[in-house]
Amino acid sequence: MAKSKWEYVKSFEAEEILLPNCWAVARIDGRGFHKLARLHEWKRPNDERGLKLMTRAAKSVMLEFRDIIMAYGQSDEYSFVFRRETE
C-alpha cells in the first residue's frame, strides 16, 4: 500500500485494543473464491462441497481461537463473534 492512492487509509488505523465489555466481530471475506469454485467445478451459488469446506475451516478457526463464541457464514465470507471479555 506504500506510495499508492490508498495510503491515506493508514490515518484511520488505531491501536489493537478492544473497548472493554463490547462485542467484537471479525468479518473475513473470501478472496478469489470464484476461482476456487471454478477450479473444483462447484455449482453456484451453494455447492454443498464448498459450504462444507467453509464450515470446516470456520470450525478450525474457532478451535484455535477460544475467545470466539459464534461464527456465521454467508456467501464467501464468515463473521466471527468474540466474547465480551476478549482483550
Side-chain angles (χ1 to χ4, degrees), residues 36-52:
L36 180 67
R38 193 176 331 122
L39 176 69
H40 294 285
E41 299 177 352
W42 292 342
K43 296 176 185 138
R44 291 186 182 182
N46 294 315
D47 190 287
E48 189 173 344
R49 296 168 294 168
L51 295 173
K52 285 182 177 181

Side-chain angles (χ1 to χ4, degrees), residues 5-66:
K5 67 179 183 177
W6 305 110
E7 194 163 0
Y8 75 94
V9 173
K10 288 185 178 184
S11 66
F12 295 102
E13 291 179 359
E15 292 184 43
E16 296 181 12
I17 298 172
L18 297 174
L19 293 173
N21 204 28
C22 290
W23 298 101
V25 179
R27 179 182 160 268
I28 311 297
D29 192 10
R31 181 170 182 256
F33 193 77
H34 62 282
K35 292 178 186 176
L36 180 67
R38 193 176 331 122
L39 176 69
H40 294 285
E41 299 177 352
W42 292 342
K43 296 176 185 138
R44 291 186 182 182
N46 294 315
D47 190 287
E48 189 173 344
R49 296 168 294 168
L51 295 173
K52 285 182 177 181
L53 174 66
M54 289 180 56
T55 300
R56 187 170 177 186
K59 285 180 180 179
S60 294
V61 170
M62 292 182 74
L63 289 172
E64 180 73 24
F65 299 95
R66 295 296 185 164

